């Protein structure tokens, strides 16, 4: 599969977040961005189809709907 | 991306792999255990006969459980099925058992999957002889009493019929 | 976009020999055509013979056929793979990398390569044919899934829901049976990083 390179301009805070997340998720920054894209795409697609995406608290079963604008 | 295995690895692994089904995710058809409908031995049966077959299935499952001195909970746990589903199969002839339940019960009790599937009403077509045997068996079985010696004999006879290979029985 | 990943082999039960085959990432019109013209008539024929169950218990079987094709075509978070031999699609697999997480320690919660569907052509399966042709599509596709997951830095963590008749296949390969999943109504199996490494060894 072809791979292309791009330059990403991030603020210090965003860069820190990327470092922290890639560390916690055990993958490189590139892999993390790829996974984030897939997830964002999947959520967007569902919402565009009229589905709702929720996060649920395991104990209270409280649900919060994810909004993608 | 690079494949992390070689053709030689595949050759040796495929040669020694068991020759079993490897599907995951979801069935491409409702139920994959299939058999040929050629010849008049199998026939399409109406709904009321499906109910009769399911009564026989419920009796069979309950008696096999009694034979092995197991409670409903114990069978559910050991066969890895839901207790409620198992209860439905034993007691409710209107209940349509799911393929997995029938598959697990067939493995657990060592009874032909093909025949159990037919008895559960999973199929449009059933073996006429199986239908007759199942209805006979159900008619001669006491619904609630513990297994008497005579009843055990009838049960064993029916299980033997279920597990007898037939010329056309296809895959079990 | 369809990309050739590599040459593989499948065991031809009819000739007792290995035939050359190829694994692809991404499907093209040939695969969809094979599914429509070769797989589906066989699946429909069997469904018609043995269909009431699905209709009664599972809902519409027609949808089940097409669900994954639609996904493979439309949703970018899914990656589709095919194994072809003799110019024909012998096996298909659909992977989702976005929405599933490992349940097993020591990497519980981390992203996982989830096999949404893996299927062999009906003529390769004992459930459909008295004289099935190719053996090995399941292993080729699983090894491809692990390769893909590792390429995507998921380190071999892999999950799937096995069909009942395939439960005996996944355990010995190194998958852990995590139990019955009420939502999918199937047993959930997962492979850890360590198990994936020993599978590919």
């Amino acid at each position: 599969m072809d791979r292309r390179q791009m330059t990403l301009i991030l603020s210090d805070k965003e860069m820190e977040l990327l470092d922290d997340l890639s560390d916690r998720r055990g993958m490189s920054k590139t892999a993390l961005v790829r996974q984030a894209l897939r997830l964002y795409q999947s959520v967007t697609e569902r919402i565009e189809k009229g589905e709702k995406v929720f996060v649920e608290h395991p104990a209270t079963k409280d649900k919060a709907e994810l909004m993608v604008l | 991306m690079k494949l992390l295995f070689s053709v030689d690895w595949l050759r040796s692994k495929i040669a020694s792999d068991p020759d079993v089904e490897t599907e995951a995710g979801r069935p491409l058809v409702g139920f994959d255990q299939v058999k040929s409908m050629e010849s008049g031995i199998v026939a399409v049966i109406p709904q009321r006969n499906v109910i009769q077959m399911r009564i026989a299935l419920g009796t069979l499952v309950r008696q096999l459980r009694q034979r092995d001195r197991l409670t409903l909970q114990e069978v559910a746990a050991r066969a890895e099925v839901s207790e409620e589903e198992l209860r439905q199969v034993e007691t409710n002839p209107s209940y349509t058992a799911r393929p997995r339940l029938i598959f697990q019960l067939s493995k657990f009790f060592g009874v032909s999957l093909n025949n159990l599937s037919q008895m559960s009403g999973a199929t449009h077509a059933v073996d006429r002889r199986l239908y007759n045997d199942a209805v006979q068996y159900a008619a001669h079985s006491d619904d609630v009493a513990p297994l008497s010696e005579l009843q055990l004999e009838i049960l064993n006879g029916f299980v033997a019929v279920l597990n007898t290979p037939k010329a056309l029985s296809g895959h079990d | 976009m369809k990309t050739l990943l590599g040459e593989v082999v499948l065991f031809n039960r009819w000739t007792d020999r290995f035939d050359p085959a190829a694994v692809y990432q991404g499907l093209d019109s040939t695969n969809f055509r094979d599914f429509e013209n070769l797989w589906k008539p066989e699946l429909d024929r069997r469904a018609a013979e043995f269909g009431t169950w699905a209709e009664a218990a599972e809902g519409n079987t027609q949808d089940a056929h097409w669900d994954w094709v639609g996904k493979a075509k439309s949703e970018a978070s899914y990656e589709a793979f095919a194994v072809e031999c003799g110019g024909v699609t012998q096996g298909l697999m659909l992977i989702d990398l976005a929405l599933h997480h490992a349940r097993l320690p020591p990497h519980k919660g981390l992203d996982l390569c989830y096999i949404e569907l893996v299927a062999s052509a009906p003529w390769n399966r004992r459930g459909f044919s008295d004289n099935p042709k190719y053996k090995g599509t399941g292993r080729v596709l699983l090894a491809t899934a692990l390769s893909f997951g590792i390429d995507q830095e998921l380190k071999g963590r892999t999950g799937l829901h096995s069909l009942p008749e395939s439960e005996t296949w996944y355990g010995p390969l190194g998958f852990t049976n995590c139990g019955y999943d009420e939502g999918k109504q199937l047993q959930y199996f997962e492979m850890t990083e360590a198990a994936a490494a020993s599978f590919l060894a």
Side-chain angles (χ1 to χ4, degrees), chain A residues 3 25-26 28 35 45, chain C residues 75 97 109 111 151 153 155:
Chain A
R3 286 185 173 172
R25 308 303 295 178
S28 68
Q35 284 298 84
E45 212 159 70
Chain C
E75 295 188 21
L97 293 186
D111 299 40
D151 178 71
E153 298 188 30
K155 303 193 172 74

Side-chain angles (χ1 to χ4, degrees), chain B residues 17 26 34 97-98 100 122, chain C residues 13 53 67 127 139 180 187:
Chain B
D17 277 339
R26 75 194 69 187
V34 291
R98 291 195 307 226
R100 183 174 183 282
Chain C
R13 296 182 183 99
W53 205 325
D67 213 15
R139 178 171 281 273
Y180 187 63
Q187 298 283 126

Side-chain angles (χ1 to χ4, degrees), chain B residues 14 23 34 37 40 43 53 68 74 92 103-104 116-117 119 121 123 128 140 153 164:
Chain B
I14 293 174
E23 324 304 303
V34 291
M37 247 178 81
M53 293 280 271
D68 298 344
E74 285 167 333
N92 177 7
F103 184 84
Q104 294 298 96
L116 272 197
S117 307
M119 287 175 72
T123 59
R128 282 185 211 279
H140 287 93
E153 225 171 89
T164 304

Side-chain angles (χ1 to χ4, degrees), chain C:
Chain C
M1 192 177 50
K2 185 170 172 178
T3 315
L4 175 68
L5 294 179
E7 305 295 331
V8 295
V9 287
L10 293 175
F11 182 70
N12 187 333
R13 296 182 183 99
W14 297 357
T15 60
D16 220 19
R17 298 165 75 120
F18 283 95
D19 288 353
V23 189
Y24 295 91
Q25 179 173 0
L27 307 180
D28 65 7
S29 56
T30 318
N31 303 115
F32 292 118
R33 215 163 38 224
D34 282 353
F35 187 83
E36 174 117 31
N37 297 339
L38 303 174
W39 289 43
K40 196 165 174 286
E42 190 69 8
L43 297 169
D44 284 346
R45 192 166 68 80
R46 300 297 176 159
E49 288 170 9
F50 277 78
T52 57
W53 205 325
E55 287 151 26
E58 312 273 343
N60 192 341
T61 49
Q62 294 334 101
D63 286 345
H65 287 169
W66 289 104
D67 213 15
W68 73 268
V69 177
K71 278 184 174 172
K73 277 185 167 166
S74 71
E75 295 188 21
S77 74
Y78 287 97
E79 293 285 345
F81 296 83
V83 53
E84 297 178 14
C85 183
V88 174
T89 312
Q90 304 292 344
L92 290 163
M93 176 169 69
L94 196 60
I95 285 179
D96 177 15
L97 293 186
L99 298 173
H100 296 263
H101 297 95
R103 299 187 195 177
L104 290 178
H107 300 110
K108 188 168 186 284
L110 292 190
D111 299 40
L112 168 110
C113 173
Y114 177 74
I115 300 179
E116 177 83 20
L117 177 134
V118 58
S120 305
W123 55 86
N124 294 328
R125 300 177 52 186
R126 296 219 173 268
F128 285 85
S129 165
D130 289 334
N131 189 16
K133 191 169 185 187
Y134 286 115
K135 179 188 173 198
T137 55
R139 178 171 281 273
V140 167
L141 288 171
L142 181 59
T144 302
L146 295 191
S147 303
F148 179 60
I150 289 168
D151 178 71
Q152 298 294 306
E153 298 188 30
L154 304 184
K155 303 193 172 74
R157 300 184 295 269
T158 306
L160 56 85
H161 285 85
S162 170
L163 293 200
E165 60 271 29
S166 308
E167 286 171 12
T168 57
W169 166 245
Y170 289 105
L173 295 182
F175 278 88
T176 301
N177 186 342
C178 301
Y180 187 63
D181 189 328
E182 284 292 340
K184 295 265 185 181
Q185 304 181 353
L186 293 168
Q187 298 283 126
Y188 176 70
F189 286 76
E190 193 173 300
M191 196 175 241
T192 61
E193 293 177 14
S198 67
F199 173 85
L200 288 169

Side-chain angles (χ1 to χ4, degrees), chain A residues 12 14 19 24 57:
Chain A
D12 286 352
E14 288 156 349
D19 277 333
R24 273 158 58 194
H57 190 281

